Amino acid sequence: MKSENLIVKSRKAKCQLQMAKPKLQEAKTKSQNVLSNIQKGKNKIQEALRSMQNYKIKLNFVSRKLPFAYCSLPFVSRTLHFAFCILLFAFCLLANSCNINRFLKNDEYVVRSNKFVLKGDISRKESANIKKTLLPPLSRQKELPVFLGLTKSKVGAWNYFKSISVENKKGVLPSIYRTFSSKPNIFDEKLTQISADNMKQALINAGYRDNKVTFDKLFIGKNKGLADVTYNVDLGTLYVFDTVSYLCADSVYLSILKKAQENSLLQRGTALSSSNYEKEKARIVDYFNSKGYARFAPNFIVPLDADTSIVKFNEKNQRLIDATLTVVLPDDSTQLRKFYVGDVSVFPNYDINKGETIKFDTVIGTNIIRTYDGNIGLKASLLNDLITFKSGEIFNKTAITKTYKKITGIGVYKFVNVASKIDECDSNAVALNIYLTPN
């Protein structure tokens, strides 16, 4: 009986070896190319670090010597330097007060500011978040920059128009124009409407499904050529979850899904937002992956079904919504298979140039330590303790991530890679190879 088992195992090993040879050769070629690129990148990084160090030394020297050097300058030089600073400041003030209308065509105005007026029963914190974080990036026409932290400045716009008028000229003034210029946005009714529509959609995604966004424009006289845009945002009612049902036609998957639901992010009172839903999808995928279903993917979860036919509100006057989260499994049964950890091989002194031409194998626990010369580097027991998964256990991506962090955390290895692949002789097992390159 034992001899028959040995024959079966040897045949299986021979099968694995024959199937692995072409892939090993291909992987070796790819690895050599990657190593070459890594080496080039390493050289560039070292060169950049040396340059930064040199600049740091020079900067520290200048910062220590500058006050004394400035004080040691002749009185005339210091006076000229001070006068230059005053003139530059005066130039900026003059540019800010100058008329940019002469550079504009009829009925053209530069967008000076975008303001947001919110209507809705929300906290100050939420209001500030919407005004400063959510809505401003969605405006297709940016406002003028702030000058000296006090007011919206025309300096950049005026210098931009002046730099165009002296585009091919050289000298101090053309250089100043180009240096301190910033291209302004000319008010465009269509772009402003697109901005308002984008804001409306962003608020819908945040849970304000009945919001309305309109805009007003205020032209600041012909002499100034400026336009202030005000977006009027009526948030309406915030839609929040009341109950969320989790469904799946497959009884096995449904039982796992119900377990995952116990820590759902879609609790009662949580905003019915796309970001909350995407976070819950990612959490469910991680949960299934940790239970051995390595091929469970986000596209198994269909878009949320929110029932808006029933009108009900909570004590905060927020609209309560009943929703259904459904998992639809693919027809391909291989995507639904539960996987286990197969052979775990550790390469503690891996060299990409040598590849997997291993001469020494040592079995520690359920892990196979493979080396070129028998030198493991770390204590075998310590290396074994860093690995949080074992052969025969249910495949768990979280354990792989934890192992990677633990190994990189000890600072002994400059490269750590945990590679996984389906065992070609056992379709239910995932073989894991841990490649470690010492510092």
Side-chain angles (χ1 to χ4, degrees), residues 378-389:
L378 290 178
K379 285 185 177 181
S381 58
L382 175 59
L383 185 59
N384 196 54
D385 290 341
L386 294 173
I387 302 171
T388 59
F389 46 81

Side-chain angles (χ1 to χ4, degrees), residues 317-334:
N317 202 34
Q318 296 170 335
R319 180 83 177 268
L320 294 172
I321 299 296
D322 296 323
T324 303
L325 186 150
T326 306
V327 171
V328 177
L329 302 177
D331 295 331
D332 184 2
S333 60
T334 61

Side-chain angles (χ1 to χ4, degrees), residues 386 401-417 436 439:
L386 294 173
T401 303
K402 186 177 180 180
T403 296
Y404 177 84
K405 290 181 178 178
K406 288 180 70 174
I407 294 175
T408 54
I410 64 176
V412 174
Y413 303 101
K414 58 182 176 182
F415 296 117
V416 178
N417 180 29
L436 309 174
N439 290 324

Side-chain angles (χ1 to χ4, degrees), residues 212-229:
K212 296 178 181 178
V213 181
T214 59
F215 66 88
D216 296 323
K217 53 187 182 295
L218 176 63
F219 298 130
I220 313 298
K222 292 184 178 180
N223 292 332
K224 293 187 177 181
L226 300 174
D228 289 335
V229 180

Side-chain angles (χ1 to χ4, degrees), residues 173-431:
L173 278 179
S175 179
I176 291 177
Y177 294 148
R178 285 188 285 268
T179 303
F180 295 97
S181 68
S182 61
K183 186 178 180 180
N185 285 279
I186 306 300
F187 177 78
D188 186 311
E189 189 98 18
K190 291 182 179 179
L191 288 178
T192 308
Q193 183 59 55
I194 291 173
S195 300
D197 293 341
N198 291 341
M199 293 174 189
K200 179 178 177 64
Q201 186 58 49
L203 289 169
I204 290 174
N205 292 340
Y208 296 97
R209 297 201 167 194
D210 300 328
N211 79 85
K212 296 178 181 178
V213 181
T214 59
F215 66 88
D216 296 323
K217 53 187 182 295
L218 176 63
F219 298 130
I220 313 298
K222 292 184 178 180
N223 292 332
K224 293 187 177 181
L226 300 174
D228 289 335
V229 180
T230 300
Y231 292 96
N232 303 299
V233 181
D234 185 352
L235 295 174
T237 304
L238 177 63
Y239 283 52
V240 299
F241 289 106
D242 186 12
T243 62
V244 182
S245 301
Y246 288 61
L247 300 179
C248 182
D250 185 274
S251 59
V252 175
Y253 270 73
L254 179 60
S255 63
I256 299 173
L257 190 61
K258 290 295 184 181
K259 282 288 184 179
Q261 185 181 2
E262 295 175 1
N263 295 313
S264 172
L265 300 178
L266 309 182
Q267 298 294 332
R268 190 176 192 274
T270 303
L272 181 63
S273 67
S274 58
S275 62
N276 287 335
Y277 178 57
E278 290 301 320
K279 289 176 183 177
E280 177 63 2
K281 279 178 62 176
R283 190 189 67 83
I284 291 173
V285 171
D286 287 343
Y287 187 83
F288 272 93
N289 290 161
S290 70
K291 299 300 179 183
Y293 298 93
R295 291 184 173 178
F296 188 93
N299 61 331
F300 290 9
I301 305 173
V302 301
L304 194 70
D305 181 18
D307 181 9
T308 58
S309 61
I310 302 175
V311 180
K312 51 184 177 178
F313 297 87
N314 62 11
E315 63 280 0
K316 296 181 180 179
N317 202 34
Q318 296 170 335
R319 180 83 177 268
L320 294 172
I321 299 296
D322 296 323
T324 303
L325 186 150
T326 306
V327 171
V328 177
L329 302 177
D331 295 331
D332 184 2
S333 60
T334 61
Q335 300 288 319
L336 310 178
R337 189 177 296 151
K338 189 173 184 178
F339 292 94
Y340 296 85
V341 177
D343 289 338
V344 179
S345 300
V346 184
F347 302 81
N349 57 356
Y350 182 71
D351 186 335
I352 198 169
N353 292 318
K354 295 180 181 179
E356 297 183 13
T357 56
I358 304 303
K359 295 182 179 180
F360 296 88
D361 289 347
T362 304
V363 178
I364 301 176
T366 60
N367 303 323
I368 305 171
I369 312 298
R370 303 179 182 273
T371 61
Y372 304 110
D373 53 10
N375 181 21
I376 297 177
L378 290 178
K379 285 185 177 181
S381 58
L382 175 59
L383 185 59
N384 196 54
D385 290 341
L386 294 173
I387 302 171
T388 59
F389 46 81
K390 295 180 180 180
S391 178
E393 291 182 343
I394 293 175
F395 180 80
N396 188 341
K397 284 188 177 180
T398 304
I400 293 176
T401 303
K402 186 177 180 180
T403 296
Y404 177 84
K405 290 181 178 178
K406 288 180 70 174
I407 294 175
T408 54
I410 64 176
V412 174
Y413 303 101
K414 58 182 176 182
F415 296 117
V416 178
N417 180 29
V418 183
S420 61
K421 63 177 181 179
I422 304 299
D423 193 323
E424 295 179 353
C425 294
D426 184 356
S427 58
N428 291 321
V430 178

